[in-house]
Amino acid sequence: MSLSLNVVVLLYLVASVFFIQALKGLSHPTTSRIGNTFGMVGMAIAVVTTIALIVKLTGGEGALGLGWVALGVAVGGTAGTIMARRVEMTKMPELVAFMHSMIGLAAVFIAIAAVAEPWAFNIVEHGQPIPMGNRLELFIGTFVGAITFSGSVIAFGKLSGKYKFRLFQGAPVVFAGQHLLNLVLALAMLGFGLWFFLTQQWTPFWIMTILAFVLGVLIIIPIGGADMPVVVSMLNSYSGWAAAGIGFSLNNSMLIIAGSLVGSSGAILSYIMCKAMNRSFFNVLLGGFGGETAAAAGGGAKEQRPVKSGSADDAAFLLTNADSVIIVPGYGLAVARAQHPLKELADKLIERGVSVKFAIHPVAGRMPGHMNVLLAEAEVPYDQVFEMEDINSEFGDTDVVLVLGANDVVNPAAKDPKSPIAGMPILEAYKARQVIVNKRSMASGYAGLDNELFYMDRTMMVFGDAKKVVEDMAKASE
């Protein structure tokens, strides 16, 4: 048995190395495919090892249990395959939020089962109380998992935009005393968790779990749909820590390592997202992200300012007569599903000898890497796609910048120390010789501010659906 357990630990270590390599591969589009492969192989090793360990420990008595495990793997694997094949690239954020919710719910269910029958998980002998350390781990894993589940459900609704229920609307849901209520519920949740920790009673455990579900909803509803990149990353981190907490309870090193990797990488990514938005991570957690600014902006009528507008033909004329073009995609591109027409337009410009590059802001879209995923789905070559820090220095020497559905990430107001978005890193499109901006309307972004780029003399607005406008540009470029 000791040798077998050593082999199990070794295989879990191998799987962990694959997971680390997966994260490394997923850090760049050019290595994302191999990163996914590493992740799948690592998970396969972990699953097979765990099943083999169950067979060894039960000595054949757990055949019925293994049957349920096999059924779960079959159902989950089939559902995952169908979703992966059917989901559109524009809907990837919703899929990610859904997956996070399932991880959180799984952590809650495992914790409930471990509290009900701890001997079935080899935590204690039959009839013995759960050790204090395991109670603490179950307490933490449960409330983090519950918050992750309900928060991810709200994030899914906000990202989807299909549902009329107010909590699922993209606009922030705020009310008087909201932060105080969250604080009271959090303290109550921790209090009941401490009660469970000291007594191992079901009543405080259930109350703690219910409060955690409610708190997950209240934490996410004040955050607007446009701020989802940070939220998705944050919930990703939560799901990892929930898995790690349950891993400690079950004494499963694989869960601990994998959960810690997901939790820490999600936390780091959340920090990067907040830094890219020049916002405090704690403000995002409290639902204060952009709230005051938006309220201030919406408090009165905005001044009507003149803008220069043109047609898709006018834009095509400027693009085809340029030597260099930088394209800045935003969420409007995703909503219109215009990535394929955009690739066609870029190819036609390149055929004419125009240098075409794509500039990606870290928080463009609804999740980290959203624009990268869209462009990759349209088979835009990786060497044409550049991150903000790598391309910002080129805008001043660029003939034309084409902005598609982006707003605050190209707003020069961020350079004004008195602006509410002062200090937010932006793509410096305003430095180009000519700027073409495609939007449906002059509506503000998440910050509720007018974009000064739209009113510059060198800027031409082309209003309309991004897909239709880009298709017209491509036809006019022939």
Side-chain angles (χ1 to χ4, degrees):
M1 176 66 70
S2 60
L3 178 62
S4 297
L5 291 178
N6 287 336
V7 172
V8 168
V9 172
L10 177 60
L11 289 174
Y12 277 162
L13 179 61
V14 172
S16 301
V17 172
F18 273 95
F19 288 149
I20 293 171
Q21 291 300 314
L23 286 176
K24 181 179 179 182
L26 292 172
S27 64
H28 194 277
T30 57
T31 56
S32 60
R33 290 183 182 273
I34 188 66
N36 271 320
T37 301
F38 275 125
M40 289 186 289
V41 172
M43 184 56 67
I45 293 174
V47 170
V48 172
T49 301
T50 301
I51 293 176
L53 178 61
I54 294 173
V55 173
K56 182 69 176 180
L57 292 176
T58 59
E61 297 178 0
L64 179 60
L66 282 175
W68 285 111
V69 171
L71 178 62
V73 171
V75 172
T78 301
T81 300
I82 293 174
M83 285 189 291
R85 291 180 65 87
R86 290 183 177 179
V87 69
E88 300 173 3
M89 286 298 171
T90 52
K91 300 299 182 182
M92 282 300 295
E94 292 99 299
L95 180 62
V96 171
F98 173 79
M99 295 301 181
H100 291 165
S101 71
M102 292 296 98
I103 295 173
L105 190 61
V108 174
F109 283 163
I110 293 172
I112 292 173
V115 173
E117 297 183 358
W119 55 87
F121 295 87
N122 292 319
I123 297 176
V124 294
E125 295 295 330
H126 195 286
Q128 295 297 313
I130 300 175
M132 301 288 278
N134 291 98
R135 291 184 209 171
L136 178 63
E137 294 154 5
L138 287 168
F139 153 48
I140 295 175
T142 301
F143 83 74
V144 174
I147 290 174
T148 302
F149 170 74
S150 55
S152 296
V153 170
I154 298 299
F156 173 85
K158 285 178 174 286
L159 288 165
S160 173
K162 297 179 181 177
Y163 308 103
K164 296 181 179 180
F165 189 44
R166 189 185 175 198
L167 296 183
F168 291 151
Q169 298 299 307
V173 178
V174 296
F175 52 85
Q178 190 168 25
H179 295 333
L180 179 60
L181 175 61
N182 289 350
L183 177 61
V184 171
L185 289 178
L187 292 176
M189 179 192 70
L190 294 174
F192 282 106
L194 180 61
W195 183 0
F196 165 75
F197 169 70
L198 295 174
T199 65
Q200 196 181 321
Q201 293 182 13
W202 275 108
T203 298
F205 180 85
W206 284 120
I207 296 176
M208 172 204 70
T209 304
I210 293 171
L211 289 176
F213 281 127
V214 174
L215 192 59
V217 173
L218 293 176
I219 287 176
I220 303 302
I221 59 173
I223 304 176
D227 310 331
M228 284 296 114
V230 177
V231 175
V232 171
S233 179
M234 176 186 71
L235 292 170
N236 177 48
S237 179
Y238 284 2
S239 67
W241 296 125
I246 297 301
F248 277 107
S249 301
L250 304 182
N251 195 28
N252 187 303
S253 57
M254 185 69 264
L255 266 179
I256 297 171
I257 295 172
S260 299
L261 285 172
V262 174
S264 57
S265 61
I268 293 171
L269 186 57
S270 298
Y271 171 77
I272 294 173
M273 294 293 103
C274 288
K275 186 176 180 181
M277 291 176 164
N278 194 37
R279 291 294 185 267
S280 165
F281 181 63
F282 293 103
N283 283 346
V284 176
L285 290 179
L286 294 174
F289 184 68
E292 295 179 1
T293 306
K302 294 182 180 178
E303 177 187 357
Q304 296 296 322
R305 301 166 61 183
V307 298
K308 294 192 328 186
S309 62
S311 65
D313 289 345
D314 297 329
F317 177 81
L318 293 174
L319 291 169
T320 54
N321 285 278
D323 291 325
S324 57
V325 171
I326 294 179
I327 300 174
V328 179
Y331 185 60
L333 177 78
V335 172
R337 303 177 184 178
Q339 63 270 29
H340 291 286
L342 181 60
K343 170 64 163 56
E344 181 183 354
L345 173 62
D347 288 343
K348 290 183 177 180
L349 293 176
I350 292 172
E351 289 176 2
R352 286 175 166 268
V354 181
S355 170
V356 178
K357 296 180 179 179
F358 293 81
I360 306 297
H361 192 280
V363 295
R366 288 296 185 267
M367 62 176 285
H370 194 179
M371 295 300 103
N372 300 82
V373 171
L374 285 179
L375 297 180
E377 194 264 342
E379 298 184 352
V380 173
Y382 294 132
D383 58 4
Q384 293 180 16
V385 182
F386 296 84
E387 301 299 324
M388 178 178 64
E389 61 271 16
D390 297 324
I391 201 170
N392 253 351
S393 61
E394 299 186 27
F395 280 105
D397 298 321
T398 300
D399 293 325
V400 180
V401 170
L402 175 60
V403 180
L404 296 168
N407 202 321
D408 295 312
V409 298
V410 291
N411 193 343
K415 301 295 184 180
D416 182 359
K418 297 181 181 179
S419 171
I421 61 171
M424 175 181 171
I426 63 169
L427 290 164
E428 298 175 346
Y430 67 92
K431 292 184 176 180
R433 299 184 182 93
Q434 182 73 45
V435 180
I436 302 170
V437 178
N438 165 240
K439 281 174 60 68
R440 289 179 179 270
S441 68
M442 292 295 293
S444 303
Y446 70 83
L449 299 175
D450 274 341
N451 191 330
E452 296 302 317
L453 177 67
F454 302 164
Y455 305 98
M456 295 176 62
D457 289 337
R458 68 186 73 176
T459 300
M460 181 178 72
M461 304 295 297
V462 181
F463 296 106
D465 176 79
K467 185 175 182 179
K468 177 67 166 57
V469 169
V470 173
E471 287 176 342
D472 290 344
M473 288 182 186
K475 290 179 181 178
S477 300
E478 293 177 351

